[in-house]
């Protein structure tokens, strides 16, 4: 694994898990250029139900992954493969957890470790420095890193980076990098946008800060030809983690969308003239449907490979989402999501 793909320690994976991984990979019928990245927050903590996943739910999801022929990979390995255009196994899946909750260490990690599955944890360094019973300590993060867990950065102060200026973003990322280097011996090169919020300017600053990829909180399969600084993740918490929805999400394929407009998720015009170009022929594209979080199903117009999505109603202030999906002949869904921020 490339050293610049995140803070990784020595791998400590059970032999049985390695055998399962090799068998699942060998059983793959075809190579892919995408992976489904799952997003979790807290475990067995129902104070914020939308962020919670129970231990029972997580165990059921792990069983679904193993029984469904999925190959669970580290975030670093998937990012590295996509950057190098190295084929990924079909049904590749990554497990990521935001916010460094103590429940990730006490509840989720023992289950994942027993199953031999890797995970990544996204950390805002100021929160770890403040400490307390609800956040992991640096010692616990060092233990996870030494066990092969990828540590990703959420910056230092969990900024709303789409709204912050370039200098403030750069300073926040630099402060976090210094703390990671001091506490873990190296800094992450994978960024997770706090709140899923990003802008064209924040992406530029992240790239200049040395990050190689950044992930949001919008739905879809992460695709090797997409914008590496605005890659999607499927939420797997609460209702999003219910069996039917979970199985649909982890089997999803990317809708090969390029030349997305507007390319800046921070809207300058509202409603936006949203559209994208299909990079390749998509069988069944006539069934494409697009939805907005504030307006329901939208009108779709096509001119050859170009898809234009029309909406009359402006997004309300704050975060909003657009999802475009089409089913495949195999019953899997191609999925392209985009999160916007309306001032």
């Amino acid at each position: 694994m490339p050293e610049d793909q995140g803070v990784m320690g020595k791998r400590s994976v059970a032999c049985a898990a390695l055998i399962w991984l090799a068998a699942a990979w060998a059983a793959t019928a075809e190579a892919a250029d995408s992976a489904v990245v799952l997003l979790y927050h807290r475990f067995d903590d129902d104070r914020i139900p939308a962020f919670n996943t129970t231990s029972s739910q997580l165990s059921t999801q792990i069983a679904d992954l193993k029984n469904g022929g999925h190959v669970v990979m580290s975030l670093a390995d998937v990012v590295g493969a996509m950057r190098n255009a190295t084929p990924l196994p079909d049904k590749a899946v990554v497990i990521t957890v935001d916010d460094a909750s103590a429940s990730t260490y006490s509840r989720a990690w023992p289950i994942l470790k027993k199953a031999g599955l890797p995970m990544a944890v996204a950390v805002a360094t100021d929160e770890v420095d403040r400490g307390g019973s609800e956040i992991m300590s640096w010692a616990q993060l060092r233990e996870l890193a030494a066990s092969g867990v990828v540590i990703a950065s959420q910056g230092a102060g969990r900024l709303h980076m789409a709204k912050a200026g370039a200098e403030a973003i750069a300073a926040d990322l630099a402060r976090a990098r210094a703390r990671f280097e001091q506490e873990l011996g190296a800094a992450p090169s994978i960024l997770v946008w706090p709140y899923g919020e990003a802008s064209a300017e924040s992406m530029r600053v992240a790239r200049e800060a040395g990050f190689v990829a950044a992930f949001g909180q919008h739905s879809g399969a992460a695709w090797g030809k997409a914008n590496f600084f605005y890659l999607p993740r499927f939420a797997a918490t609460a209702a999003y983690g219910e069996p039917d929805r979970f199985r649909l999400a982890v089997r999803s394929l990317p809708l090969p969308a390029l030349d997305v407009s507007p390319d800046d998720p921070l809207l300058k015009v509202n409603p936006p003239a949203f559209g994208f170009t299909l990079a390749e022929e998509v069988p069944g594209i006539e069934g494409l449907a697009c939805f907005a979080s504030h307006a329901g199903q939208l009108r779709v117009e096509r001119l050859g490979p170009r898809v234009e999505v029309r909406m009359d109603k402006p997004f309300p202030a704050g975060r909003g989402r657009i999802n475009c999906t089409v089913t495949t002949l195999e019953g899997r869904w191609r999925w392209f999501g985009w999160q916007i921020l309306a001032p």
Side-chain angles (χ1 to χ4, degrees):
M1 177 181 55
E3 292 180 357
D4 70 344
Q5 294 302 305
V7 178
M8 296 285 291
K10 295 180 180 179
R11 298 193 179 190
S12 176
V13 181
C15 291
L18 288 174
I19 292 170
W20 169 79
L21 178 62
W25 197 310
T28 298
E30 57 183 292
D33 58 358
S34 66
V36 168
V37 183
L38 298 174
L39 165 61
Y40 296 87
H41 288 276
R42 298 167 180 265
F43 300 88
D44 297 323
D45 181 353
D46 60 5
R47 289 173 300 172
I48 308 178
F51 285 178
N52 188 44
T53 303
T54 67
S55 292
S56 175
Q57 192 173 36
L58 180 61
S59 296
T60 298
Q61 292 171 355
I62 289 172
D64 282 342
L65 292 174
K66 291 193 172 186
N67 294 333
H70 298 278
V71 181
V72 182
M73 301 177 63
S74 84
L75 182 66
D77 288 347
V78 165
V79 169
M82 291 197 302
R83 289 185 71 212
N84 296 318
T86 302
L88 288 162
D90 186 36
K91 297 184 183 178
V93 173
V94 176
I95 294 170
T96 70
V97 188
D98 284 6
D99 307 339
S101 165
S103 65
T104 302
Y105 179 84
S106 63
R107 299 285 186 167
W109 176 233
I111 295 172
L112 292 168
K113 187 176 181 181
K114 183 178 180 180
L117 301 185
M119 73 171 181
V121 176
V123 177
T125 57
D126 284 359
E127 294 179 356
V128 182
D129 285 340
R130 282 195 293 271
S133 60
E134 296 190 5
I135 197 79
M136 277 191 274
S137 66
W138 284 114
Q140 289 170 333
L141 288 168
R142 284 192 289 271
E143 178 187 342
L144 293 184
S147 297
V149 173
V150 174
I151 307 299
S153 177
Q154 287 182 300
R158 201 186 293 278
L159 287 182
H160 289 270
M161 292 190 183
K163 301 176 183 178
E167 290 186 5
I169 298 169
D172 180 84
L173 295 177
R175 191 167 83 251
R177 173 174 289 275
R179 291 297 294 130
F180 282 121
E181 290 176 343
Q182 182 177 10
E183 295 289 347
L184 303 182
S189 62
I190 298 173
L191 179 67
V192 167
W193 298 111
Y195 319 102
E197 297 175 1
S199 64
E201 182 175 60
S202 64
M203 293 181 207
R204 176 185 61 79
V205 175
R207 187 180 293 107
E208 292 175 352
F211 290 98
V212 299
F215 287 81
Q217 294 184 7
H218 48 290
S219 298
W223 181 45
K225 296 179 183 178
N227 181 349
F228 267 62
F229 283 83
Y230 205 45
L231 292 169
R233 295 182 294 167
F234 276 106
T237 57
Y240 292 115
E242 289 302 305
D244 287 346
R245 197 269 183 183
F246 180 83
R247 291 166 192 153
L248 182 149
V250 295
R251 297 179 71 245
S252 68
L253 297 165
L255 187 65
L258 295 176
D259 302 322
V260 180
S261 62
D263 60 355
D264 191 342
L266 180 61
L267 295 186
K268 305 297 191 297
V269 177
N270 191 10
F274 187 78
F276 52 86
T277 300
L278 295 172
E280 58 193 54
E281 183 178 348
V282 177
I285 191 63
E286 296 78 12
L288 178 69
C290 296
F291 302 83
S293 55
H294 72 304
Q297 188 164 359
L298 304 171
R299 188 171 78 257
V300 174
E301 298 178 0
R302 292 184 52 235
L303 181 61
R306 187 67 187 174
V307 176
E308 297 292 341
V309 182
R310 308 300 186 188
M311 66 189 83
D312 301 319
K313 184 179 179 182
F315 280 95
R319 295 187 292 273
R321 288 180 174 83
I322 299 172
N323 285 301
C324 294
T325 59
V326 63
T327 188
T328 70
L329 296 177
E330 298 78 24
R332 298 169 70 177
W333 287 87
R334 289 191 176 274
W335 199 310
F336 172 69
W338 199 252
Q339 179 173 295
I340 62 88
L341 186 66

